[in-house]
Structure formats: C-alpha cells, structure tokens
C-alpha cells in the first residue's frame, strides 16, 4: 500500500486536458476557497502550498519575481501522477506544512 496516493477513479489519465484545482470549504462562509483562511499561509494558493505548482507548461522550473509556478497543476509522471495506477500523489511534506501553518481541522 502506498501512502499519500489517491485514486482518481479515471481510466487513461493524460496530461492533455487534465485540470486539477484544490479547494477548501470555509467553515465561516460555506464557500469554496483555494487557500486556508485564518492560517499563516492564508495568502498561498493550495496548489503552491502542496508544491503542485512549480513548473511552467514546458516542464521548466518557473520563477516570476521569486514566485514559483504558473498557477496550473504540475502533471509530472511518477511524481504528482501515477498514470499506470490512475492516481494522484500527495507529498508527505505537504501535510507537515499544513500542520505547521496552524491548520487543525
């Protein structure tokens, strides 16, 4: 059993047309947001927080004024996606980042 692996319940996962957004349901408003309100990382998009957005569309490390990523999920076979298992990999250190930021829900 692989830890931090989540099935997408989809066959033939492919880079073309694949879009992944991560949202958190805000307990106060009931709305969906792409950040964690009331934490020390409130200004950070969840894709960046999980280190799922560091590359540009060409797969190159993207840095814009010291900010990594292009705002889109990095589809990297064997790192963030396991195509043969049709699943998503969540790096272990991402969970630690959430805890250190004060997220306890």
């Amino acid at each position: 059993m692989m830890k931090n692996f989540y099935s997408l319940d989809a066959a033939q996962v492919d880079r073309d047309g694949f879009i992944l957004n991560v949202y958190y349901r805000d307990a106060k408003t009931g709305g969906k947001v792409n950040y964690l309100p009331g934490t020390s990382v409130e200004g950070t998009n969840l894709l960046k927080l999980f280190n799922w957005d560091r590359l540009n569309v060409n797969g190159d490390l993207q840095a814009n004024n010291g900010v990594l990523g292009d705002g889109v999920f990095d589809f990297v076979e064997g790192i963030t996606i396991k195509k043969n298992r049709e699943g998503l990999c969540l790096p272990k250190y991402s969970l630690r980042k959430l805890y250190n930021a004060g997220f306890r829900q």
Side-chain angles (χ1 to χ4, degrees), residues 77-92:
E77 170 59 31
I79 305 293
T80 58
I81 291 285
K82 300 278 188 185
K83 287 175 70 171
N84 60 335
R85 294 187 61 196
E86 289 94 21
L88 182 70
C89 301
L90 176 62
K92 182 169 48 175

Side-chain angles (χ1 to χ4, degrees), residues 33-84:
V33 293
N34 65 352
Y35 61 93
L36 296 175
T39 66
S40 63
V41 292
E42 184 169 5
T44 305
N45 179 301
L46 289 172
L47 285 176
K48 290 191 186 306
L49 185 66
F50 290 139
N51 284 326
W52 287 345
D53 178 26
R54 298 172 48 95
L55 308 175
N56 65 18
V57 294
N58 298 318
D60 301 320
L61 193 61
Q62 178 74 36
N64 296 320
N65 298 324
V67 177
L68 291 175
D70 58 0
V72 178
F73 173 76
D74 296 336
F75 190 106
V76 181
E77 170 59 31
I79 305 293
T80 58
I81 291 285
K82 300 278 188 185
K83 287 175 70 171
N84 60 335

